[in-house]
Amino acid sequence: MALITSPLQPIVYIFITDNIFTHQIHTTMKKKFSIGTGVPSILMIFVVLALTTFAVLSFTSARADYKLTEKNCKYIMNYYEADKEAQTIIAAVDAVIAENNRAKGNYDFEGAIQALDKDITINTENDGRLLLKYKVGINDNQELNVWLRVNSKTSEDRYTIAKYSVSQQADSRGMEFEDEGAGWWQGN
């Protein structure tokens, strides 16, 4: 080491030594905290995989919703087609009842109902009134059950709808399920 000959020499030596020390710390820190291309690439792969997974799940969910909507639409169309047929039969039965009420002599009411060719069952209730029953198919498993009670000739209404319900046809165990109030609009 050199001998100090000037009063300024220690300050210059400390400054030069200090700058070298600081430069070494800076260089070491830069190398220590530098992020290479590997970590961002791995993060990017995980982000792409996550987004792809969410896209596939979204597509699958949308497709399932679409199929369910199509199935529901088909059922509703079938139900209202059966409802239309049931209402057409009610209108035809109403016309027969009106003709029966206007007739002065003997009128073959049961023959007129059977002439409609709609597979209508005629039962007589305990009070003497007629109960007309028929079914209209909705699909392979369900049918619309309609029961019409024929009122007396003096009644304001010619008939009363005793039952208008959807029933599930018998399953493999022989059980039949019925929905009394399907919640469908009855036209009132």
Side-chain angles (χ1 to χ4, degrees):
M1 290 235 207
L3 292 170
I4 301 175
T5 56
S6 134
L8 293 178
Q9 190 177 3
I11 296 174
V12 171
Y13 179 72
I14 293 172
F15 178 73
I16 291 173
T17 315
D18 197 27
N19 276 345
I20 292 172
F21 181 69
T22 307
H23 178 69
Q24 286 176 351
I25 290 177
H26 253 308
T27 308
T28 308
M29 289 176 70
K30 281 184 183 176
K31 287 181 183 176
K32 204 176 221 182
F33 293 114
S34 72
I35 298 177
T37 57
V39 173
S41 297
I42 290 174
L43 286 175
M44 201 58 166
I45 289 170
F46 283 130
V47 167
V48 168
L49 285 175
L51 290 176
T52 304
T53 302
F54 288 136
V56 168
L57 289 174
S58 176
F59 176 75
T60 304
S61 175
R63 187 169 174 219
D65 286 346
Y66 178 73
K67 285 184 177 181
L68 184 61
T69 301
E70 277 187 330
K71 185 177 178 181
N72 190 27
C73 183
K74 183 178 177 184
Y75 174 77
I76 289 173
M77 294 292 286
N78 288 341
Y79 173 81
Y80 282 112
E81 189 64 35
D83 180 57
K84 176 183 165 187
E85 177 68 23
Q87 293 297 325
T88 303
I89 294 171
I90 288 174
V93 167
D94 184 42
V96 170
I97 295 170
E99 184 67 31
N100 181 40
N101 290 349
R102 282 193 298 270
K104 300 292 181 196
N106 287 340
Y107 183 75
D108 185 16
F109 179 76
E110 291 183 20
I113 292 293
Q114 297 306 325
L116 294 175
D117 197 29
K118 298 295 182 182
D119 197 27
I120 300 173
T121 305
I122 302 172
N123 296 329
T124 304
E125 293 187 314
N126 294 337
D127 61 358
R129 294 192 297 175
L130 296 177
L131 183 66
L132 309 176
K133 298 179 182 180
Y134 63 93
K135 297 178 181 182
V136 179
I138 296 174
N139 54 34
D140 294 339
N141 300 324
Q142 294 179 322
E143 51 194 20
L144 187 61
N145 296 315
V146 182
W147 293 7
L148 300 176
R149 185 172 288 119
V150 179
N151 295 330
S152 66
K153 291 183 179 184
T154 58
S155 177
E156 185 177 313
D157 296 326
R158 291 187 282 266
Y159 63 91
T160 304
I161 297 176
K163 185 178 195 175
Y164 200 90
S165 64
V166 175
S167 68
Q168 189 82 12
Q169 293 177 0
D171 64 357
S172 61
R173 298 173 298 201
M175 298 177 69
E176 187 172 313
F177 303 99
E178 188 159 356
D179 184 4
E180 288 292 332
W184 306 108
W185 181 60
Q186 298 299 321
N188 298 335

